[in-house]
């Protein structure tokens, strides 16, 4: 039997050669150098800005031209042929001599034209105003199609450019340049083809209109945000500060009134598609189906726990309800964290659709026909389908990414429509990100694992691997010359019987006989996931490791892909289980001989900032130090769609809202807290931090506070501000976790006399 002391000695001797080797490797000289090393650790991602064209026969990608500027090239997976498709060299803006430059581009569906977006001026996270230009690959001509448009897209026929400008919809005839206005009722705060802030942010779309596959119709959202309260933000610059006004509905506030209209691009009449829903409801998605002139419209009630799908005849406005799904918690119609824009898929050429639902406890694929009849459940088991990557109606095959191997991995699988013939396609352990051609013939696989930097491969679904597109040998060379602490994944069972996965990055060099301070770097929000079996390229994390910190992440309850019970236990009670799981992790780590349990910090941004506050308030003895950036402090101050999805309606859950408020628990804060915010944060408004500061001040509790006026969500607004935030965060950790004595807590605040409550 090896005693504990002998085990430590043996481990130290075994670690000695590795430590000596690590000492010969280059260390970061400064925090700035560490932060800038992320690109060296990430490596190259293979072809940039991939767009599958010609129905999947080729894909385009961005490359660097001889002048250092981007060019667009085309690659044929079948032959390996690489050709130049577009270069801006020698090209000027039409009618002038200024060299042509652009921010982004999109392909026409027939792959004959490119639509370039230039002079982009951002509005919200996904939206902005820009000028649009059409480039013909046939004659290499460049024409301006429109100016100052919000969104623009070529018709599937390739003859018309549809766009939204000033809250109305237009088309431009490419052959003549003639512009035609399709709607004329935008006025005040009523818009056609444009989303308000909360729809764009919380339903994940920027373009509020869609061409029909035959180019004969455009379906669009009309938003009337007149009843939404206005929030004003300013960075207080200049002699007379200017304010941005944003319609922003908080919990319980009126939302925009929404309806779906259909117009004809030839200027024909408009048809309104009335769902028959009453009261508060959302229309988060619309889909053109394979049936001619048939549009699918999805509705959600305000509580987001009942979804209905309607099919409309866009010529008459006639409707029929196809199916309904209800939940005791919430229903997801997209997945922001997994990059899934739609949980429902209508494959072209098929009179069936597929819906990803967690109705049996895990996310699985369900197959329906156009009458709304459930044909069969396609996948099943104690694991999740995270994305449908491609569908081949010809072979009746669905390609999907899932978690069969492990919740911390993503692998590609294929299954027949009837649920049979399931097979795993990707084999290397790790997290695979798939970019599949629309005909499901080829895919690009970008993957990594904890010990394998990013690899990029081209695959055929029929024949297997075609070629390696990027091996990132230079990353391996960098790792051989620099100190790097490889993360490890650990698991444990909480005191209430829940198994949690966490990640740990140890100090380099690491001495198991020493005790190290711990930094929890967390997020924790519903539907997210932090810990994966993937290569880690965070310069901040590696800097902390080189400075003698253990850095920890957790897939806490609320995380997706561990089953709906694990994720949705937080419904109506945000903050409680997240903080509990961080506390359980801290207690688990305290049992390890190399962890200094008295020197623990927790830090995060946005939801991670909120979770930091709740952990410090509910478990002050475990988290004496914390940094909360752009944190939600009271869910009653946050937007309606996100908050009510996870907390329910305020009238139904006032007790839950109060229990989930960091402001309400401010009297329990006993540790050392750094708050960070900006004045132009249109997501988590500075009001959150200001109200918490006021409450803490009224309680006589002092905290550190850093304000970055021009910053948006996350506070940083340029590289110097980002670097300064990191420096301040590190100095705060050093101040409290590296002092001679562990950070002391304030004395608990005595309960107020009954008369004062």
């Amino acid at each position: 039997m090896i005693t504990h002391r002998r085990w430590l000695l043996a481990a130290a001797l075994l670690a000695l050669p590795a430590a000596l080797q690590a000492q010969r490797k280059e260390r970061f000289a400064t925090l700035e150098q560490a932060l800038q090393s992320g690109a060296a650790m990430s490596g190259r991602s293979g072809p940039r800005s991939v767009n599958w064209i010609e129905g999947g026969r080729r894909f385009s990608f961005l490359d660097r031209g001889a002048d250092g500027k981007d060019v667009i090239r085309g690659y044929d997976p079948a032959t390996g042929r690489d050709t130049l498709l577009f270069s801006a060299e020698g090209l000027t803006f039409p009618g002038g001599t200024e060299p042509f430059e652009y921010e982004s581009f999109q392909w026409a569906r027939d792959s004959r034209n490119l639509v370039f977006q230039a002079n982009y001026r951002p509005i919200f996270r996904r939206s902005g105003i820009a000028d649009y230009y059409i480039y013909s690959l046939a004659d290499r001509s460049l024409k301006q199609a429109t100016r100052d448009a919000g969104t623009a897209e070529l018709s599937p026929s390739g003859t018309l450019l549809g766009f939204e400008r000033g809250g109305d919809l237009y088309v431009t005839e490419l052959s003549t340049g003639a512009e035609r206005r399709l709607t004329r009722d935008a006025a005040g705060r009523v818009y056609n083809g444009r989303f308000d802030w909360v729809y764009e942010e919380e339903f994940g779309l920027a373009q509020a209109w869609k061409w029909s596959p035959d180019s004969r119709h455009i379906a669009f959202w009309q938003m009337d945000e007149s009843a939404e309260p206005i929030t004003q933000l300013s960075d207080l610059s200049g002699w007379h500060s200017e304010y941005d006004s944003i319609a922003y509905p908080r919990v319980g506030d009126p939302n925009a009134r929404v309806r779906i209209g259909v117009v004809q691009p030839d200027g024909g009449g408009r048809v309104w598609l009335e769902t028959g829903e009453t009261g508060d409801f959302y229309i988060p998605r619309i889909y053109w189906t394979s049936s001619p002139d048939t549009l699918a419209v999805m509705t959600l009630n305000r509580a987001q726990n009942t979804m209905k799908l309607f099919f409309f005849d866009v010529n008459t406005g006639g409707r029929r309800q196809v199916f309904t799904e209800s939940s005791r918690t919430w229903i997801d119609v997209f997945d922001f964290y997994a990059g899934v824009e739609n949980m429902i898929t209508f494959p072209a050429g098929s009179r069936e659709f597929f819906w990803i639902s967690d109705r049996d406890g895990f996310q699985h694929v369900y197959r329906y026909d156009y009458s709304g009849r459930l044909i069969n459940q396609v996948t099943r088991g104690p694991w999740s389908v995270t994305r449908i990557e491609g569908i081949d109606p010809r072979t009746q095959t669905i390609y999907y990414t899932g978690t069969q191997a492990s919740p911390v991995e993503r692998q590609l699988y294929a299954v027949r429509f009837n649920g049979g013939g399931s097979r795993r396609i990707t084999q290397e352990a790790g997290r695979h990100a798939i970019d599949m051609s629309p005909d499901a013939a080829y895919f690009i696989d970008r993957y990594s694992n904890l010990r394998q930097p990013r690899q990029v491969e081209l695959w055929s679904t029929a024949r297997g691997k075609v070629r390696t597109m990027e091996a990132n040998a230079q990353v391996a060379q960098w790792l051989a010359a620099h100190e790097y602490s490889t993360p490890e994944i650990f698991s444990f069972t909480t005191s209430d019987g829940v198994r949690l996965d966490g990640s740990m990055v140890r100090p380099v060099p690491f001495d198991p006989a020493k005790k190290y301070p711990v930094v929890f770097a967390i997020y924790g929000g519903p539907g997210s996931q932090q810990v994966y079996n993937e290569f880690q390229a965070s310069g901040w994390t590696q800097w902390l490791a080189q400075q003698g910190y253990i850095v920890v992440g957790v897939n806490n309850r609320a995380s997706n892909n561990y089953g709906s019970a694990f994720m949705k236990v937080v419904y109506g009670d945000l903050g409680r289980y997240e903080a509990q799981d961080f506390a359980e992790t801290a207690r688990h780590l305290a049992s390890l001989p190399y962890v200094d349990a008295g020197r623990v910090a927790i830090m995060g941004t946005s939801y991670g900032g909120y979770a930091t506050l709740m952990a410090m308030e509910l478990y002050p003895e475990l988290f004496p130090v914390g940094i909360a950036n752009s944190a939600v402090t009271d869910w009653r101050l946050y937007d309606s769609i996100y908050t009510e999805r996870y907390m329910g309606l305020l009238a139904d859950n006032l007790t839950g809202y109060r229990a989930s408020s960091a402001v309400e628990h401010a009297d329990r804060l006993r540790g050392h807290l750094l708050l960070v915010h900006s004045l132009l944060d249109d997501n988590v408004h500075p009001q959150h931090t200001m109200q918490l500061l006021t409450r803490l001040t009224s309680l006589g509790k002092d905290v550190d506070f850093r304000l970055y006026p021009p910053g948006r969500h996350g506070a940083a607004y340029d590289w110097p501000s980002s670097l300064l935030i990191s420096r301040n965060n590190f100095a705060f950790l050093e101040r409290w976790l590296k002092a001679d004595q562990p950070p002391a807590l304030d004395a608990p605040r005595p309960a107020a006399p009954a008369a004062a409550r």
Side-chain angles (χ1 to χ4, degrees):
M1 178 178 181
I2 301 177
T3 65
H4 181 62
R5 180 175 297 176
R6 288 179 179 173
W7 176 86
L8 286 175
L9 178 59
L13 291 173
L14 287 172
L16 186 58
L20 291 174
Q21 182 182 10
Q23 289 173 7
R24 291 193 295 268
K25 292 186 176 183
E26 183 178 341
R27 296 172 64 88
F28 297 127
T30 64
L31 174 57
E32 181 175 10
Q33 183 188 39
L35 297 176
Q36 292 175 334
S37 71
M41 289 184 282
S42 297
R44 294 185 287 264
S45 58
R48 292 185 294 128
S49 190
V50 168
N51 287 270
W52 292 94
I53 59 176
E54 300 168 4
R57 189 178 71 82
R58 290 198 294 171
F59 64 82
S60 73
F61 64 99
L62 289 180
D63 199 3
R64 295 290 183 192
D67 58 359
K69 295 183 178 180
D70 285 341
V71 298
I72 302 174
R73 304 190 68 86
Y75 184 85
D76 186 335
T79 65
R81 186 182 177 193
D82 180 340
T83 56
L84 178 67
L85 300 178
F86 172 82
S87 171
E89 185 177 0
L91 199 61
T92 62
F93 281 96
T97 59
E98 182 183 356
F100 180 67
E101 295 181 345
Y102 61 92
E103 278 78 27
S104 64
F105 69 92
Q106 57 179 280
W107 280 94
R109 294 191 195 180
D110 61 9
S111 305
R112 295 178 181 178
N113 296 285
L114 285 161
V115 182
F116 287 103
Q117 182 188 73
N119 189 26
Y120 181 74
R121 290 141 279 168
I123 298 177
F124 301 139
R125 185 198 292 260
R126 298 172 177 85
S127 60
I129 304 296
D131 305 330
Y132 289 87
Y133 297 83
I134 308 295
Y135 179 83
S136 168
L137 270 69
D139 60 15
R140 300 183 180 180
S141 62
L142 182 69
K143 300 177 182 179
Q144 183 174 52
T146 188
R147 298 174 61 90
D148 301 323
T151 52
E153 182 183 343
L154 277 172
S155 63
S157 65
T159 61
L160 299 168
L161 180 76
F163 61 93
E164 176 271 323
R165 183 173 63 211
D168 274 316
L169 290 170
Y170 299 77
V171 293
T172 295
E173 292 269 3
L174 297 191
S175 60
T176 66
E179 182 178 287
R180 184 181 305 119
R181 188 171 181 174
L182 304 182
T183 64
R184 297 180 177 273
D185 51 350
R189 295 167 64 189
V190 178
Y191 310 106
N192 299 299
R194 182 200 300 178
F195 290 120
D196 66 348
W197 184 93
V198 72
Y199 254 74
E200 177 183 319
E201 178 68 20
E202 304 303 359
F203 286 137
L205 297 178
Q207 183 166 309
W209 56 277
K210 288 188 174 184
W211 280 105
S212 64
D214 59 10
S215 304
R216 294 175 52 243
H217 304 280
I218 294 176
F220 66 94
W221 279 262
Q222 184 185 77
M223 312 285 297
D224 180 354
E225 61 174 40
S226 301
E228 292 182 337
I230 296 294
T231 291
Q232 291 189 315
L233 301 173
S234 174
D235 63 2
L236 304 180
S237 62
W239 294 109
H240 300 283
S241 300
E242 296 182 355
Y243 286 80
D244 295 334
S245 295
I246 301 173
Y248 185 102
R250 291 179 171 79
V251 169
D253 284 342
N255 285 312
R257 294 192 298 273
V258 183
R259 58 178 175 169
I260 302 299
V262 179
V263 291
Q264 298 174 19
D266 62 5
R270 175 168 55 185
V271 176
W272 292 109
L273 308 183
E274 302 295 344
T275 64
E277 297 292 277
T278 59
D280 275 340
F281 68 95
Y282 301 110
I283 304 179
R285 291 291 188 272
I286 61 175
Y287 305 92
W288 288 102
T289 70
S290 291
S291 293
D293 300 340
T294 301
L295 186 75
V297 176
M298 177 186 290
T299 66
L300 280 174
N301 62 335
R302 177 148 184 167
Q304 298 174 70
N305 55 18
T306 299
M307 184 274 284
K308 297 178 183 178
L309 189 71
F310 299 91
F311 277 14
F312 282 89
D313 182 326
V314 299
N315 296 306
T316 67
R319 74 171 187 267
R320 59 186 175 88
Q321 186 173 327
V322 177
F323 85 101
T324 301
E325 178 146 334
S326 297
S327 169
R328 291 193 298 270
T329 54
W330 72 84
I331 293 173
D332 287 312
V333 300
F334 82 116
D335 187 338
F336 171 82
Y337 302 102
V340 178
E341 189 171 289
N342 299 290
M343 302 296 270
I344 194 167
T345 303
F346 289 85
S350 172
R351 297 299 178 94
E352 298 176 355
F353 63 90
F354 299 90
W355 166 242
I356 297 178
S357 169
D358 67 352
R359 65 181 65 163
D360 75 347
F362 289 84
Q363 285 186 174
H364 283 295
V365 180
Y366 295 81
R367 177 189 180 196
Y368 287 85
D369 65 22
Y370 274 17
S371 73
R373 178 178 66 92
L374 175 63
I375 300 174
N376 61 277
Q377 180 175 346
V378 180
T379 61
R380 64 181 69 241
W383 45 270
S384 292
V385 171
T386 56
R387 286 173 55 101
I388 290 179
E389 305 291 354
I391 295 177
D392 185 350
R394 182 181 58 83
T395 62
Q396 299 265 294
T397 303
I398 298 175
Y399 297 91
Y400 68 89
T401 304
T403 65
Q404 284 108 308
S406 167
V408 299
E409 294 199 0
R410 298 292 182 271
Q411 301 287 345
L412 179 66
Y413 300 84
V415 65
R416 300 295 300 276
F417 283 8
N418 62 11
S422 178
R423 58 190 173 91
R424 176 171 165 177
I425 298 175
T426 53
Q427 298 297 324
E428 294 291 336
R431 185 182 184 186
H432 293 254
I434 305 299
D435 188 342
M436 184 167 284
S437 63
D439 59 1
Y442 293 95
F443 65 90
I444 297 171
D445 178 17
R446 295 176 173 89
Y447 72 92
S448 71
N449 57 50
L450 292 173
R451 297 184 177 276
Q452 173 64 67
R454 179 191 292 144
Q455 302 290 291
V456 185
E457 299 172 348
L458 177 64
W459 283 64
S460 161
T461 53
R463 302 187 306 277
K465 182 178 174 180
V466 176
R467 57 167 289 203
T468 296
M469 307 190 79
E470 180 57 68
N472 277 311
Q474 76 282 0
V475 178
Q477 295 170 0
W478 189 93
L479 293 171
H482 294 78
E483 283 193 348
Y484 178 84
S485 180
T486 301
E488 59 189 74
I489 292 177
F490 64 91
S491 302
F492 71 99
T493 302
T494 65
S495 60
D496 56 347
V498 176
R499 185 173 177 82
L500 297 181
D501 290 331
S503 64
M504 178 191 299
V505 175
R506 303 189 191 204
V508 284
F510 176 70
D511 183 350
K514 292 183 177 179
K515 286 186 174 292
Y516 297 95
V518 177
V519 176
F520 279 69
I522 51 93
Y523 181 76
S528 65
Q529 182 172 336
Q530 181 177 4
V531 177
Y532 292 95
N533 180 16
E534 66 179 350
F535 192 78
Q536 298 296 315
S538 167
W540 168 254
T541 298
Q542 292 300 319
W543 170 259
L544 291 180
Q546 290 188 18
Q547 300 305 311
Y549 292 93
I550 295 172
V551 185
V552 172
V554 184
N555 285 347
N556 53 279
R557 276 171 281 192
S559 301
N560 200 357
N561 305 305
Y562 288 82
S564 58
F566 185 94
M567 177 172 70
K568 295 185 173 181
V569 68
V570 302
Y571 180 72
D573 198 12
L574 294 181
R576 174 187 168 193
Y577 287 98
E578 301 93 308
Q580 178 181 328
D581 285 352
F582 298 140
E584 292 275 0
T585 306
R587 293 190 184 104
H588 168 73
L589 295 174
S591 69
L592 303 177
Y594 48 83
V595 168
D596 189 338
R599 301 176 189 266
V600 177
I602 185 168
M603 63 185 297
T605 297
S606 192
Y607 199 100
Y610 165 71
T612 291
L613 296 173
M614 293 297 287
M616 291 186 70
E617 291 173 343
L618 300 183
Y619 301 94
E621 72 284 359
L622 296 176
F623 300 106
V625 179
I627 302 172
N629 184 332
S630 307
V632 171
T633 64
D634 191 315
W635 288 109
R636 289 166 288 192
L637 303 177
Y638 199 56
D639 77 62
S640 55
I641 294 179
Y642 181 96
T643 307
E644 292 168 359
R645 180 185 301 155
Y646 304 122
M647 286 293 295
L649 304 183
L650 182 60
D652 300 333
N653 189 26
L654 181 58
T655 300
Y657 275 90
R658 294 192 63 182
S660 293
S661 168
V663 176
E664 295 278 353
H665 295 295
D667 60 330
R668 300 176 66 174
L669 181 71
R670 296 172 57 199
H672 307 280
L673 173 64
L674 170 60
L675 292 170
V676 180
H677 220 123
S678 64
L679 290 181
L680 291 183
D681 189 339
D682 63 350
N683 189 323
V684 181
H685 298 165
Q687 177 186 24
H688 286 262
T689 291
M690 298 307 167
Q691 290 196 10
L692 178 60
L693 281 170
T694 299
R695 175 65 174 153
L696 291 169
T697 301
S698 298
L699 292 167
K701 293 181 177 290
D702 191 22
V703 299
D704 288 66
F705 176 47
R706 294 278 182 162
L707 183 67
Y708 299 85
R712 300 219 175 243
H713 193 48
Y717 54 92
D718 56 17
W719 169 246
S721 64
S722 177
L723 177 59
L724 184 60
I725 290 171
S726 295
R727 283 175 173 165
N728 289 333
N729 289 348
F730 179 63
F732 192 77
L733 296 175
E734 290 281 280
R735 172 184 169 192
W736 292 111
L737 297 186
K738 295 286 189 68
D740 292 338
Q741 298 297 322
L745 298 175
D746 293 341
R749 183 178 175 84
R757 293 176 184 160

